[in-house]
Amino acid sequence: MTITARTKDLIVQSIDGEVCVYDLVNKKCHVLNKTSALVWKLCDGHSTLEEMAAKLEQFDLPADRDIVLLALDQLEKAGLLENAAPKLALTPAASRRSLIGKLGAVAGAAALLPLIDSIAVPNAYAQASSGPGFSPPPFTTPFFTPPPFFTTPPFFGTTSAP
Amino acid sequence: MGAPEDRLTFVSHGARIGIRVSHRAILHRLPAILPPGAAITSVEPLDIVYTLSPGDLYRGSVSLSSRSTIDEALRVLESDLHFQVAQHARTALFVHAGVVGWKGGAILIPGRSLSGKTSLVAALVRAGAAYYSDEYAVIDRQGCVHPYAKPLSIRDENGGAARVPVAEIGGRAGAETLRPVAIVLANYRLGARWRPRALTQGQALLALIDNTVLAQEQPELTMETLTRVVSSATALQGLRGESGPTARQLLRWLDRDSPSQPNTL
């Protein structure tokens, strides 16, 4: 089974070993930890699960196929794999919790397990203040009646004046 | 055409805004409510035009306030101006965050309304930090923070809020551009003790994006600018109790333990 990372309509930024991905289509942002970022990078359409697992050793993780499967499951849920990627059925043994148990003896392994933090990018009105005098996002007045002094033409060079 | 005296136009962080008024007497009250750093100047075309009369306030054709007193309309206008500047700024990115300056570095406190930003900012200012903003971190492309020292919006027990100049709480406004040294995500909980955990730079970036006004509209600028911010700052997240003790703890930590080196530009 080979898998390809999605590259279209993404802004990708590496930060101190992590990778931040802005998904322009789904308006989401994801932060991939080092392991998730490595697996995502290895989704080149050629590498097999076993080859990906072998590369985990650079992070002092065992070459465990389940760790790769966990990363792929998270990447797929985040929409960072090509649509053509086969559906990944995680075995029960590949949950994050079970992997922590399985790798308990490996120092710091839990922190190195694949992890993706995600947010929906807010729109501008989500940032509106509710400070003094704030009115919620306004509605266009349905039956707009101009105040009397609007009877003269707008004197601003804009089309947005009433 | 109306007389030029019946309007005021200004530029703030590249946003070009006009306010036209029905009575000249109102015009004289406008400079006091303009956003920090606004330069009154003749400029066209405009991004936004407000129309203000004693009873009504419109942004374009949108009614913001009707049948209100002029004082109420001015309060609504002032609040809306801040947000419109944030939306139309061309020279900086606006992140919903409180900001103070401390020994040459900026402390950013991102958060939405009612997250306790203003009370923590006020406590930091009372503890000696310079006031930059209780609402927006204004960040240039280099990732540096500029002052946006509007009056603090300090809430009372009834849910109302008063505009309080920083001098009234014994503080001073900062003037220099600062490099961020700390990003503090601190939600208030009664009785909580400030025991923050460190965030990775990626997690800090997500927290800032989550509070950036134009994060959807300007994704490239947002990513580029905020990556610079998180690369120079240490990020902490936790629950906090009262703002005074948290502020003093934060400043002690910055003085002693922060790995970041404050840097005035």
Side-chain angles (χ1 to χ4, degrees):
Chain A
M1 178 171 68
T2 57
I3 299 161
T4 307
R6 179 182 154 206
T7 54
K8 201 176 170 196
D9 297 319
L10 300 176
I11 302 173
V12 181
Q13 195 83 253
S14 293
I15 320 167
D16 196 28
E18 298 172 299
V19 170
C20 187
V21 184
Y22 189 127
D23 182 338
L24 295 166
V25 174
N26 298 309
K27 306 288 183 194
K28 287 190 174 177
C29 258
H30 312 280
V31 169
L32 284 54
N33 75 352
K34 291 179 184 181
T35 309
S36 294
L38 173 68
V39 173
W40 194 46
K41 187 179 166 190
L42 293 170
C43 292
D44 52 9
H46 305 293
S47 300
T48 63
L49 288 181
E50 288 69 27
E51 286 167 339
M52 291 183 192
K55 298 273 174 66
L56 294 175
E57 288 176 340
Q58 63 182 273
F59 292 149
D60 295 326
L61 279 168
D64 191 323
R65 198 171 177 272
D66 282 346
I67 297 174
V68 177
L69 279 172
L70 177 62
L72 292 174
D73 180 59
Q74 293 174 352
L75 289 164
E76 188 185 42
K77 284 175 180 160
L80 298 178
L81 299 180
E82 286 293 349
N83 290 339
K87 286 288 175 194
L88 300 163
L90 279 181
T91 62
S95 74
R96 186 175 177 81
R97 185 185 293 267
S98 64
L99 280 173
I100 289 172
K102 188 172 164 184
L103 302 173
V106 182
L112 288 172
L113 283 178
L115 186 66
I116 300 178
D117 286 326
S118 303
I119 60 162
V121 179
N123 64 26
Y125 275 109
Q127 307 297 333
S129 166
S130 60
F134 172 73
S135 52
F139 303 100
T140 302
T141 312
F143 302 105
F144 175 61
T145 309
F149 68 102
F150 288 179
T151 50
T152 54
F155 41 70
F156 287 112
T158 173
T159 55
S160 62
Chain B
M1 286 289 192
E5 290 79 14
D6 296 338
R7 62 176 172 156
L8 175 149
T9 59
F10 68 91
V11 177
S12 177
H13 300 283
R16 300 180 293 240
I17 296 177
I19 306 166
R20 61 178 192 162
V21 297
S22 59
H23 300 87
R24 277 186 201 171
I26 303 173
L27 205 58
H28 301 297
R29 299 188 61 180
L30 296 180
I33 63 161
L34 296 185
I40 297 174
T41 178
S42 181
V43 61
E44 284 191 13
L46 295 163
D47 298 311
I48 297 287
V49 177
Y50 291 91
T51 309
L52 175 64
S53 68
D56 298 285
L57 172 65
Y58 291 86
R59 184 197 327 116
S61 60
V62 175
S63 173
L64 299 180
S65 173
S66 62
R67 298 182 191 88
S68 54
T69 65
I70 189 63
D71 287 339
E72 287 165 347
L74 285 169
R75 256 199 324 273
V76 173
L77 175 60
E78 180 180 11
S79 179
D80 202 67
L81 281 172
H82 292 303
F83 186 55
Q84 294 305 322
V85 168
Q87 278 198 296
H88 292 89
R90 291 172 172 81
T91 58
L93 198 65
F94 278 60
V95 177
H96 213 56
V99 184
V100 298
W102 180 251
K103 298 187 178 175
I107 304 172
L108 272 56
I109 306 164
R112 306 282 171 82
S113 295
L114 301 174
S115 63
K117 291 189 310 292
T118 297
S119 63
L120 186 53
V121 164
L124 286 161
V125 168
R126 288 189 188 103
Y131 176 62
Y132 273 67
S133 180
D134 72 338
E135 188 165 5
Y136 289 118
V138 178
I139 305 172
D140 65 26
R141 284 174 184 270
Q142 282 68 48
C144 299
V145 183
H146 295 248
Y148 194 78
K150 62 183 265 302
L152 289 93
S153 298
I154 295 183
R155 291 174 200 279
D156 58 32
E157 290 171 352
N158 302 319
R163 296 168 66 250
V164 180
V166 67
E168 275 188 28
I169 62 166
R172 63 183 174 81
E176 305 90 9
T177 301
L178 300 177
R179 179 82 64 191
V181 291
I183 299 164
V184 178
L185 293 141
N187 283 320
Y188 174 76
R189 181 178 291 176
L190 183 68
R193 189 173 160 210
W194 176 240
R195 288 176 186 158
R197 70 181 177 96
L199 297 180
T200 65
Q201 289 187 11
Q203 290 166 334
L205 180 63
L206 279 194
L208 291 177
I209 290 172
D210 197 32
N211 288 284
T212 299
V213 174
L214 294 181
Q216 276 200 15
E217 291 78 5
Q218 299 182 333
E220 289 89 359
L221 178 67
T222 298
M223 289 283 276
E224 185 185 315
T225 303
L226 297 183
T227 299
R228 293 201 171 102
V229 170
V230 299
S231 66
S232 69
T234 302
L236 303 173
Q237 181 175 37
L239 293 173
R240 69 167 177 86
E242 294 308 312
S243 52
T246 308
R248 289 189 291 275
Q249 214 178 326
L250 254 175
L251 296 180
R252 274 200 305 273
W253 167 78
L254 265 178
D255 286 345
R256 287 198 312 235
D257 304 326
S258 166
S260 300
Q261 292 300 312
N263 177 22
T264 305
L265 299 174

